[in-house]
Amino acid sequence: MTFNIVDANPKSAQSFKFNWVSGAFFATVHALALLAPWFFSWSALGVTIFLHWSLGSIGICLGYHRLLTHRSLHVPKGLEYAIAILGTLALQGGPIFWVAGHRRHHTYTEDIDLDPYSAKRGFWWSHMGWLLYERPEFFEYESNRKFAPDLAKQEFYRWLDRYYLLLQIPLGVGLYLLGGWAFVIYGLFLRAVLLWHSTWLINSASHITGYRSHDSDDNSRNLWWAALLTYGEGWHNNHHAYPNVAKAGWKWWEIDMTWWVIVSLRQVGLARRIVLPPSA
């Protein structure tokens, strides 16, 4: 599948205005996550691990990334929507915003102005700094829909993109009913922080250190420990060399847990048109 990419024509600038709303939001969630030691229980920790996997591996890695951004596989539309909801609950933005940003990243990899989280601006910027400054060309819907026209034309994805933050409310209420404030602190706030930094490591660390299996036209790297934290996404050089391939870990020892889920879906007839590595 190809997409008509429209240049957002961002201004070249050395500095940007700090977004205090975004800064306060991320600071608040991090502060609430620090309450975890006072609410510890093994069941709460289990909730964190389960949600980190289900919202991270299934929602973000499989859903937002391999399914919606790159169309590396196809699943029934109802299942696609369900997986997209999991991605939305991960609290990493709506699907149109996320997909548009990642397609920009691949179209203009490491370009200091056109790649939203260009590694050439340094580790801090590519890790999370890009989220804390006002860049309308990367955050406004009218700009993002040009990079995700396939999603923007569907009412379901427009709704998710608009109300993704509100979906945390039923999740929080459900966690409270199941296990009180401990489940809320661990399942909502601690989980969000851990999943944020796991995902952001792919933008930052995986463009700095690691090994290269392919001569891609960028500084993407395969980083084993980032792959373990992100269910396979850390095999980033493999991915940048062949972005539309559904399998991130190519060698037998390159563990890709998200690929295991894709294989399981294929075995029960729920995944088809899976893009495989050229060697396969």
Side-chain angles (χ1 to χ4, degrees), residues 1-2 8-9 47 50 59 69 74 91 97 100 139 245 258 265-267:
M1 173 176 283
T2 59
N9 192 29
V47 166
F50 173 75
T69 300
H74 286 73
L91 200 56
F97 161 77
F139 291 97
V245 169
T258 302
L265 291 174
R266 179 178 62 186
Q267 290 176 339

Side-chain angles (χ1 to χ4, degrees), residues 82-135:
I83 294 173
I85 290 173
L86 291 179
T88 303
L89 292 174
L91 200 56
Q92 295 189 12
I96 295 174
F97 161 77
W98 202 102
V99 168
H102 196 70
R103 286 177 181 170
R104 279 189 175 98
H105 172 65
H106 278 277
T107 304
Y108 306 113
T109 304
E110 296 176 356
D111 184 284
I112 199 166
D113 290 316
L114 298 174
D115 181 351
Y117 28 88
S118 173
K120 289 184 178 179
R121 287 189 180 272
F123 179 90
W124 161 253
W125 177 269
S126 59
H127 191 71
M128 69 175 295
W130 68 279
L131 290 163
L132 302 177
Y133 293 87
E134 295 185 5
R135 303 287 302 275

Side-chain angles (χ1 to χ4, degrees), residues 196-217:
W196 281 342
H197 288 283
S198 299
T199 304
W200 296 340
L201 282 170
I202 305 305
N203 303 334
S204 55
S206 293
H207 278 265
I208 295 176
T209 185
Y211 66 90
R212 291 168 61 82
S213 299
H214 307 277
D215 188 22
S216 59
D217 190 23

Side-chain angles (χ1 to χ4, degrees), residues 6-109:
V6 180
D7 193 337
N9 192 29
K11 63 179 180 179
S12 296
Q14 298 301 316
S15 61
F16 305 100
K17 184 178 179 181
F18 188 79
N19 188 321
W20 289 100
V21 174
S22 294
F25 171 76
F26 285 109
T28 299
V29 176
H30 278 77
L32 291 170
L34 292 175
L35 296 174
W38 288 272
F39 289 86
F40 176 81
S41 72
W42 289 109
S43 57
L45 181 60
V47 166
T48 301
I49 296 172
F50 173 75
L51 290 178
H52 190 283
W53 168 77
S54 59
L55 305 186
S57 180
I58 308 301
I60 296 296
C61 302
L62 172 57
Y64 271 19
H65 189 204
R66 305 187 198 190
L67 179 60
L68 297 184
T69 300
H70 296 294
R71 294 299 179 184
S72 302
L73 68 154
H74 286 73
V75 300
K77 184 60 71 173
L79 179 58
E80 177 185 312
Y81 285 170
I83 294 173
I85 290 173
L86 291 179
T88 303
L89 292 174
L91 200 56
Q92 295 189 12
I96 295 174
F97 161 77
W98 202 102
V99 168
H102 196 70
R103 286 177 181 170
R104 279 189 175 98
H105 172 65
H106 278 277
T107 304
Y108 306 113
T109 304

Side-chain angles (χ1 to χ4, degrees), residues 115-186:
D115 181 351
Y117 28 88
S118 173
K120 289 184 178 179
R121 287 189 180 272
F123 179 90
W124 161 253
W125 177 269
S126 59
H127 191 71
M128 69 175 295
W130 68 279
L131 290 163
L132 302 177
Y133 293 87
E134 295 185 5
R135 303 287 302 275
E137 66 272 20
F138 297 146
F139 291 97
E140 291 184 352
Y141 172 78
E142 287 303 317
S143 177
N144 286 329
R145 71 178 179 86
K146 298 174 184 178
F147 283 79
D150 51 324
L151 302 186
K153 69 181 181 181
Q154 300 182 55
E155 184 178 356
F156 175 77
Y157 286 118
R158 293 196 302 271
W159 186 90
L160 274 187
D161 201 69
R162 186 179 302 113
Y163 298 112
Y164 77 94
L165 194 57
L166 294 179
L167 293 182
Q168 295 299 310
I169 296 175
L171 176 59
V173 171
L175 288 170
Y176 180 80
L177 293 176
L178 287 173
W181 287 112
F183 275 29
V184 175
I185 296 297
Y186 273 79

